[in-house]
Amino acid sequence: MKVYISYPHRRRSFAADIAGVLRKNGYEVSWDHDLAGGSNWAGELAREISDADAIVMIYDKDSANSQFLKNEVAFSIRRRNAAKDGRPLLIPIFIGSDGLTENNELNYYLSDLQTTVIGSEKESKDAADAALIALQTFEVGQEKAAKENKQAQERLDKGIRTHVEQVLEKRPRRRSGKSDTPGSCTRFRRSCCC
């Protein structure tokens, strides 16, 4: 699973701690720290966000007005709204004891998401644990949804096969093997062998 970390630069060590924990737990982590010198950073970050399955958004009272952070969050939310699978998972982590309820654009974007509130950068382990729990819960949900979709498709396929077999058993056959009275299927509401 690919995870992108969005953070204010003054919180780089905090972001590095979280990236380290996520990598140790098998997640592929990207953030601007990985960009090579001279690269098109805006294009690279947009690509990383587009490819991410989850985005950890680290912010604080001062960074809530950062245009870069607002752009990353807005882009992530637009991407999630356009996708039908809930990706990317957005994991907001707020550092500090005040400012989370202030009326600003970033808090507005993230208002419907559960935010992990960390008192200070010293609590990066707690933040990493919260991100891990969110990622693992999301993965389990995705696996469960995929399994349920597969089971539903199998039930539908079996139902169609059973219906076709029943119809074929009951129909009189001509020498050509075709029915004398082709019609419309009332069970599946489409043209079939009935």
Side-chain angles (χ1 to χ4, degrees):
M1 178 179 259
K2 294 181 180 181
V3 180
Y4 176 78
I5 299 179
S6 175
Y7 68 100
H9 280 268
R10 73 180 157 286
R11 303 292 187 178
R12 175 175 236 138
S13 63
F14 185 83
D17 291 346
I18 291 175
V21 170
L22 296 179
R23 283 184 174 136
K24 282 181 188 174
N25 282 276
Y27 293 97
E28 183 182 332
V29 178
S30 62
W31 54 319
D32 68 353
H33 179 71
D34 298 330
L35 294 177
S39 63
N40 173 359
W41 64 269
E44 286 291 317
L45 293 180
R47 186 183 56 73
E48 292 293 340
I49 292 171
S50 291
D51 292 345
D53 298 305
I55 299 173
V56 175
M57 294 171 218
I58 301 167
Y59 70 113
D60 57 24
K61 180 180 180 178
D62 296 329
S63 64
N65 292 317
S66 163
Q67 193 59 47
F68 291 116
L69 191 57
K70 286 189 278 191
N71 289 345
E72 288 179 358
V73 170
F75 182 70
S76 302
I77 290 172
R78 280 193 307 273
R79 185 175 154 246
R80 185 177 83 173
N81 290 342
K84 305 241 187 288
D85 64 356
R87 291 176 191 261
L89 170 66
L90 306 177
I91 307 170
I93 299 175
F94 184 82
I95 303 171
S97 58
D98 65 335
L100 183 61
T101 59
E102 286 184 10
N103 188 14
N104 61 52
E105 194 173 351
L106 191 59
N107 286 338
Y108 172 76
Y109 285 145
L110 301 174
S111 63
D112 66 335
L113 300 174
Q114 179 65 36
T115 300
T116 299
V117 179
I118 301 297
S120 71
E121 280 194 36
K122 294 176 184 174
E123 300 174 41
S124 63
K125 172 123 177 49
D126 294 339
D129 289 344
L132 276 174
I133 290 168
L135 290 166
Q136 291 164 350
T137 303
F138 183 71
E139 285 179 309
V140 168
Q142 291 291 308
E143 290 169 6
K144 183 179 177 184
K147 183 179 177 181
E148 288 173 357
N149 286 342
K150 182 180 178 185
Q151 289 171 343
Q153 186 62 47
E154 288 171 353
R155 285 191 304 271
L156 179 62
D157 291 345
K158 183 179 178 184
I160 291 171
R161 276 193 311 274
T162 303
H163 174 69
V164 169
E165 289 168 0
Q166 290 171 350
V167 168
L168 290 176
E169 287 175 6
K170 294 177 183 177
R171 293 177 71 171
R173 299 206 180 262
R174 295 187 323 179
R175 288 185 187 172
S176 67
K178 294 183 179 177
S179 169
D180 290 328
T181 56
S184 178
C185 175
T186 57
R187 181 171 178 197
F188 293 105
R189 305 219 185 278
R190 61 181 177 167
S191 189
C192 87
C193 58
C194 313

